[in-house]
Amino acid sequence: MALTREQIAMRVAKEFKDGDYVNLGIGIPTLAANYVPEGIDVMLQSENGLLGMGRYPTEAEVDADMINAGKETVTAITGASIFSSAESFAMIRGGHVDFTVLGAFEVDANGNIASWMIPGKLVKGMGGAMDLVAGAKNIIVTMTHADKHGNSKLLADCTLPLTGVNCITRIITDLAVLEVRDGAFHLTERAPGVSIEEIQAKTAGPLVVPDSVPEMVL
Amino acid sequence: MALTREQIAMRVAKEFKDGDYVNLGIGIPTLAANYVPEGIDVMLQSENGLLGMGRYPTEAEVDADMINAGKETVTAITGASIFSSAESFAMIRGGHVDFTVLGAFEVDANGNIASWMIPGKLVKGMGGAMDLVAGAKNIIVTMTHADKHGNSKLLADCTLPLTGVNCITRIITDLAVLEVRDGAFHLTERAPGVSIEEIQAKTAGPLVVPDSVPEMVL
Amino acid sequence: MSGFNKVVDTYEQAMAGLEDGMTVIAGGFGLCGIPEGLIAQIKTMGTRDLTVVSNNCGVDGFGLGLLLEDKQIRKMVSSYVGENALFEQQLLNGELEVELTPQGTLAEKMRAGGAGIPAFYTATGYGTPVGDGKEVREFNGRPYILEEAITGDFAIVKAWKADTYGNCIYRHTAQNFNPMAATAGKITVVEVEEIVAPGEIPPSEIHTPGIYVNRVIKGSFEKRIERKVTAN
Amino acid sequence: MSGFNKVVDTYEQAMAGLEDGMTVIAGGFGLCGIPEGLIAQIKTMGTRDLTVVSNNCGVDGFGLGLLLEDKQIRKMVSSYVGENALFEQQLLNGELEVELTPQGTLAEKMRAGGAGIPAFYTATGYGTPVGDGKEVREFNGRPYILEEAITGDFAIVKAWKADTYGNCIYRHTAQNFNPMAATAGKITVVEVEEIVAPGEIPPSEIHTPGIYVNRVIKGSFEKRIERKVTAN
């Protein structure tokens, strides 16, 4: 069975190590914060200038001056720091954020990612995504393995305008966990009950399948 | 009569306008702070990270964590700000400091300045001088017109390694006030009792002398 | 210290000198930490053909979105502009030009503009449409692109408190782009919630030293929230 | 949040991993705001062939000057090194190399190193010996030189207070180069006067966010004054 959004987020959260500074993109990546394993603490960086992002506020706590990068009202944890956008991206660009998790339209076998622009559709902008993919030490892309028409999002070469080149090393989809290296997708885990054949069928780019591909533990 | 150090400082201080942010180098420039005219306020920037440098501390006020760019104990005025060296030089390099006053070994008719290195002598470093001459909106050089052997310090071309190029527009010496433009020194004022002939004799670079050269008012 | 008193009493004084065709750098992220009254004053003045540098362009009817209503903006330099229909319409009509700039590059361009750094290299945008036509150079085996600094004729900034010398502090994440914007204007105008006496903000807690600030005005703020989300 | 507790108990732990030939970036201006105990620990360890990046090199017998006594420093990157006789002697003997760097360029190189900016242009040093061999480029008709970022294997930093997560504030002008140094080390070690609980330093008053900091140690400081000058 293909994973749900929540299950993808659960699998993402297993990547975190205690003490990681993590930037989570909008959507599935944000959900991962709900599934951080027991005994593991991560600190969330929000690129508008907040390190140590907390939960959503209660009605009484709502403060227009306290928002996250998705422009949602938010709180700060005890021990948070708040700073300018230049400082925030100095952190990101300088490789101080341990993990970035973000969505994508396409990833290719060279680790290129397209996530911000579909020609012909109105372009809203890249926000901080290009900085994040250029700067983070580890990047995890979360997305469905194929689009709603069944077209693979894991390609030999991205067809859409890129967000970054040669920067994606790990992908967690609804079907599988894959590493990107040496010009190919390397299958390392499959979703429970998902066959290797299905993953092969939905991976357009070169796919390396080892002899044994364990099921994910969620 | 050639001006004393204090008199040079007095003449420098007359350049200040109310509301100027000023960086004063070590020596005569620092003395200028003592002669700021009535009704004029300037705020002193110290490049180690202090805007609003105050007087020297009393014995009780001495604090090892509060020093100026000359590494002397100092105080801050009410309304001062304190920041990092990167911020301090962002201010300087970015042209936010209105006035820099500094000494020099030589200045030439193209506005080049040499102030930090005498070949054969041990080189201690340029500190912030190169940043200051590259960044300030207005720079005033204060120095004696000639060295103790009588050699002019106002040259056609500097002979010593430079601190900055094409950046000096105004010089106040013990003998005269001069503007530097169009490849020449333009005499605008002379020290009380100093003859034009003496200034001419002690200016090695091209000197333009207008019909009338008023005496300085101190 | 009257020469250092940056306080002005009216919005007319605050934005005096703004002319058609100028570049305005604005602080704020979404609707958070925006100089509401200064934007309204630009609308009142009717200044046109502006280039506005700001991470976003507000929403329909609020923030910088107000300046779209009378087509006062010719060009936006932003990282994300997806929040208003008028923007979309003017963009499609060709009445408005947009230069999309990665958020971190935008922040750094403003900082560089204020800091006398004319250009810098960054990996951000290399190999993407953002890098098109820009110089590529390798450092330690990695390719980077050259990005140039941004400065503005005006910078409009929203701070929490300023003293009369223009020393500013920002509140929570309303800081965002404001400190960099403050450094990058030929004339920097700061709209604040409170004006305090010099010395009230401890020197080492000041976010923006007054040397960057030309004018300070006390505003009143609606502080509209773009996405109110609360815990269950 | 045990994973974020950066506090170490001993100087051995604080400087663990420092090896011969490494680059160490040190905060401080003269003797103001220097990590006294971390410098002493490097002397104790006897690590050699170090490249030390710091605005100054202390004085004879104090600060970074201590590392000259056993010739632990191979190269200094500084803006001003005129305060000690041992430095002078080792320089003249050819035992020590010095790369003089303008003070503002040095600060910016550290910041750039921490911020993922591999190089930037500055007017500082153009046409002087500092510009020799560096690329010159014009922007808006003015020539600038290209300067590259600095990073260190270690950064040693002196802060006033840090919380256990490594969030730091600096006291008065002891701030100086410390915040930039903190960003530019592969391993950043901060020596502080006081360790406080997370939350004690208000989020917007933090000078150095803990993300840059790997280890925090409580030190005790002599705080020697280089030039005590008092008012009459």
Side-chain angles (χ1 to χ4, degrees):
Chain A
M1 286 282 292
L3 302 185
T4 62
R5 287 163 54 89
E6 284 70 19
Q7 286 173 313
I8 298 176
M10 286 169 70
R11 179 59 191 82
V12 167
K14 289 198 183 303
E15 298 287 311
F16 300 151
K17 294 187 303 298
D18 196 28
D20 275 345
Y21 295 97
V22 178
N23 184 294
L24 302 176
I26 292 168
I28 297 174
T30 294
L31 293 177
N34 299 332
Y35 300 105
V36 178
E38 198 71 26
I40 300 286
D41 288 303
V42 300
M43 203 175 289
L44 301 180
Q45 205 257 14
S46 188
E47 66 264 29
N48 59 317
L50 171 58
L51 181 68
M53 181 166 64
R55 57 169 172 72
Y56 291 119
T58 63
E59 193 67 38
E61 288 171 333
V62 166
D63 185 330
D65 291 338
M66 184 62 94
I67 66 168
N68 65 19
K71 294 163 193 164
E72 301 168 322
T73 48
V74 78
T75 61
I77 66 165
T78 299
S81 54
I82 295 175
F83 33 80
S84 72
S85 300
E87 181 69 52
S88 184
F89 282 94
M91 270 172 211
I92 290 168
R93 204 191 303 103
H96 304 280
V97 173
D98 297 300
F99 254 111
T100 282
V101 186
L102 77 172
F105 301 142
E106 297 175 347
V107 174
D108 74 24
N110 293 310
N112 300 326
I113 175 174
S115 65
W116 72 286
M117 182 182 178
I118 297 180
K121 279 197 169 181
L122 191 77
V123 180
K124 294 185 169 186
M126 70 294 283
M130 287 189 183
D131 305 280
L132 283 159
V133 298
K137 286 184 228 165
N138 291 292
I139 304 172
I140 297 176
V141 167
T142 64
M143 57 184 188
T144 55
H145 214 95
D147 68 17
K148 55 188 169 188
H149 307 294
N151 299 313
S152 177
K153 295 181 178 178
L154 287 78
L155 308 177
D157 293 289
C158 287
T159 63
L160 297 171
L162 297 180
T163 309
V165 297
N166 218 329
C167 54
I168 307 302
T169 54
R170 180 159 274 223
I171 305 169
I172 299 179
T173 75
D174 54 340
L175 303 183
V177 179
L178 307 102
E179 282 174 16
V180 190
R181 60 171 194 272
D182 309 326
F185 299 105
H186 294 255
L187 183 62
T188 62
E189 296 175 31
R190 58 201 169 89
V194 169
S195 69
I196 289 182
E197 290 67 29
E198 181 179 356
I199 295 167
Q200 285 173 319
K202 289 186 173 165
T203 304
L207 178 70
V208 176
V209 182
D211 290 345
S212 151
V213 181
E215 288 193 350
M216 291 179 203
V217 179
L218 294 175
Chain B
M1 284 282 292
L3 301 185
T4 62
R5 287 163 54 88
E6 283 71 20
Q7 287 173 313
I8 297 175
M10 287 169 69
R11 179 60 190 81
V12 167
K14 288 196 184 303
E15 298 287 312
F16 300 150
K17 295 187 302 296
D18 196 28
D20 275 345
Y21 296 97
V22 177
N23 185 294
L24 301 177
I26 292 168
I28 297 174
T30 294
L31 293 177
N34 299 332
Y35 300 105
V36 178
E38 197 72 27
I40 300 287
D41 288 303
V42 300
M43 203 176 288
L44 301 180
Q45 204 258 15
S46 188
E47 65 265 28
N48 58 318
L50 171 59
L51 182 67
M53 181 167 65
R55 57 171 172 70
Y56 291 119
T58 63
E59 193 67 39
E61 287 170 333
V62 166
D63 186 330
D65 290 338
M66 185 60 98
I67 67 168
N68 65 19
K71 295 165 191 164
E72 301 169 323
T73 48
V74 79
T75 61
I77 65 166
T78 300
S81 54
I82 295 175
F83 34 80
S84 73
S85 301
E87 181 69 53
S88 184
F89 284 94
M91 270 172 210
I92 290 168
R93 205 191 303 103
H96 304 280
V97 173
D98 297 300
F99 252 111
T100 282
V101 187
L102 77 172
F105 301 142
E106 298 174 347
V107 175
D108 75 24
N110 293 310
N112 300 326
I113 175 174
S115 67
W116 72 287
M117 181 183 179
I118 297 179
K121 280 195 168 182
L122 190 78
V123 181
K124 295 186 168 186
M126 70 293 283
M130 286 188 183
D131 305 279
L132 282 158
V133 299
K137 287 185 226 166
N138 291 292
I139 303 172
I140 297 177
V141 167
T142 64
M143 57 183 186
T144 56
H145 213 95
D147 68 17
K148 56 189 168 187
H149 307 295
N151 299 314
S152 177
K153 297 181 178 179
L154 288 78
L155 308 178
D157 293 289
C158 286
T159 63
L160 297 170
L162 297 180
T163 309
V165 298
N166 218 328
C167 53
I168 307 302
T169 54
R170 180 158 275 224
I171 306 167
I172 299 179
T173 75
D174 55 339
L175 303 182
V177 179
L178 307 100
E179 282 173 17
V180 190
R181 61 171 193 272
D182 309 326
F185 299 106
H186 294 254
L187 183 61
T188 62
E189 295 176 30
R190 58 203 167 88
V194 168
S195 69
I196 289 181
E197 290 69 28
E198 181 178 356
I199 294 167
Q200 285 172 319
K202 290 186 172 165
T203 304
L207 178 69
V208 176
V209 181
D211 290 343
S212 153
V213 181
E215 288 193 350
M216 292 178 202
V217 179
L218 296 175
Chain C
M1 303 286 279
S2 61
F4 293 94
N5 184 358
K6 313 284 176 75
V7 178
V8 298
D9 298 321
T10 68
Y11 283 102
E12 288 75 14
Q13 291 171 295
M15 294 306 296
L18 182 70
E19 293 174 11
D20 289 356
M22 281 187 166
T23 295
V24 177
I25 301 182
F29 182 91
L31 301 181
C32 180
I34 60 173
E36 298 179 18
L38 299 176
I39 294 168
Q41 173 62 19
I42 296 174
K43 181 165 171 64
T44 303
M45 291 167 77
T47 320
R48 299 181 66 80
D49 290 323
L50 296 173
T51 295
V52 177
V53 182
S54 176
N55 191 56
N56 316 93
C57 194
V59 296
D60 286 314
F62 196 70
L64 290 169
L66 287 172
L67 304 186
L68 296 170
E69 294 174 357
D70 300 320
K71 301 181 184 173
Q72 294 179 261
I73 302 177
R74 185 183 55 77
K75 179 179 174 182
M76 277 303 298
V77 181
S78 301
S79 87
Y80 193 81
V81 290
E83 314 293 357
N84 53 55
L86 206 50
F87 191 97
E88 195 171 323
Q89 184 192 315
Q90 291 182 18
L91 191 62
L92 293 172
N93 287 350
E95 296 169 313
L96 179 63
E97 185 188 341
V98 64
E99 183 176 323
L100 290 173
T101 303
Q103 196 174 140
T105 297
L106 184 63
E108 193 67 13
K109 278 169 164 268
M110 290 185 194
R111 181 194 176 271
I117 302 289
F120 58 90
Y121 288 93
T122 177
T124 303
Y126 167 74
T128 79
V130 165
D132 286 352
K134 289 174 184 160
E135 184 193 304
V136 174
R137 187 163 182 150
E138 281 200 12
F139 296 93
N140 300 313
R142 186 174 183 192
Y144 295 83
I145 60 173
L146 184 67
E147 291 280 6
E148 295 194 22
I150 293 179
T151 56
D153 298 295
F154 271 76
I156 58 173
V157 168
K158 193 271 169 177
W160 181 25
K161 298 179 185 179
D163 68 24
T164 56
Y165 297 172
N167 293 307
C168 300
I169 54 171
Y170 305 95
R171 188 166 175 277
H172 301 334
T173 61
Q175 181 170 166
N176 57 62
F177 282 83
N178 281 298
M180 285 76 68
T183 68
K186 287 198 194 81
I187 296 176
T188 290
V189 189
V190 182
E191 188 181 14
V192 300
E193 297 180 46
E194 191 182 347
I195 294 173
V196 301
E200 280 199 35
I201 311 172
S204 292
E205 290 176 18
I206 288 166
H207 293 127
T208 293
I211 195 170
Y212 294 114
V213 175
N214 300 89
R215 303 169 191 168
V216 173
I217 188 165
K218 185 178 176 323
S220 60
F221 296 85
E222 174 185 337
K223 291 199 188 180
R224 192 181 296 185
I225 292 175
E226 208 159 337
R227 294 194 187 133
K228 182 173 153 182
V229 184
T230 53
N232 304 338
Chain D
M1 302 286 280
S2 61
F4 293 96
N5 183 359
K6 314 286 176 76
V7 177
V8 298
D9 297 322
T10 68
Y11 282 102
E12 289 74 15
Q13 292 170 293
M15 294 307 295
L18 182 69
E19 294 173 11
D20 290 356
M22 281 188 166
T23 295
V24 177
I25 302 182
F29 183 90
L31 302 182
C32 181
I34 60 173
E36 298 180 17
L38 299 177
I39 294 168
Q41 174 60 20
I42 297 175
K43 181 166 171 65
T44 301
M45 291 167 76
T47 321
R48 299 181 64 80
D49 289 325
L50 295 173
T51 295
V52 177
V53 182
S54 175
N55 191 55
N56 315 93
C57 193
V59 297
D60 287 314
F62 197 71
L64 290 169
L66 288 172
L67 304 186
L68 297 170
E69 295 174 357
D70 299 320
K71 300 182 185 172
Q72 294 177 260
I73 303 177
R74 185 184 56 76
K75 179 178 174 181
M76 277 301 300
V77 180
S78 301
S79 87
Y80 193 81
V81 291
E83 313 293 355
N84 53 54
L86 205 50
F87 191 97
E88 194 170 325
Q89 184 192 312
Q90 291 181 18
L91 191 63
L92 293 172
N93 287 351
E95 297 169 311
L96 180 63
E97 187 189 340
V98 64
E99 182 177 325
L100 290 173
T101 304
Q103 195 174 142
T105 297
L106 184 62
E108 193 68 13
K109 278 169 165 266
M110 289 185 195
R111 181 195 176 270
I117 302 290
F120 58 89
Y121 287 93
T122 176
T124 301
Y126 166 75
T128 79
V130 166
D132 286 352
K134 289 175 185 159
E135 184 193 304
V136 174
R137 186 163 182 152
E138 281 200 11
F139 295 93
N140 300 314
R142 186 174 182 193
Y144 295 83
I145 60 174
L146 183 67
E147 292 280 6
E148 294 194 22
I150 293 179
T151 55
D153 297 294
F154 271 76
I156 57 173
V157 167
K158 195 272 169 176
W160 181 25
K161 298 179 186 180
D163 66 23
T164 56
Y165 297 172
N167 293 306
C168 300
I169 54 171
Y170 305 95
R171 188 167 175 275
H172 301 335
T173 61
Q175 181 170 167
N176 57 62
F177 281 84
N178 282 297
M180 286 75 67
T183 68
K186 284 198 195 80
I187 296 176
T188 290
V189 189
V190 182
E191 189 182 13
V192 300
E193 298 180 46
E194 191 181 347
I195 296 173
V196 300
E200 279 200 36
I201 311 172
S204 294
E205 290 177 17
I206 288 166
H207 293 128
T208 293
I211 195 170
Y212 294 114
V213 175
N214 300 89
R215 304 170 190 167
V216 173
I217 187 165
K218 185 179 178 321
S220 60
F221 296 86
E222 175 184 336
K223 290 199 188 180
R224 193 180 293 186
I225 292 175
E226 207 160 337
R227 295 197 184 129
K228 181 172 154 183
V229 185
T230 53
N232 301 340

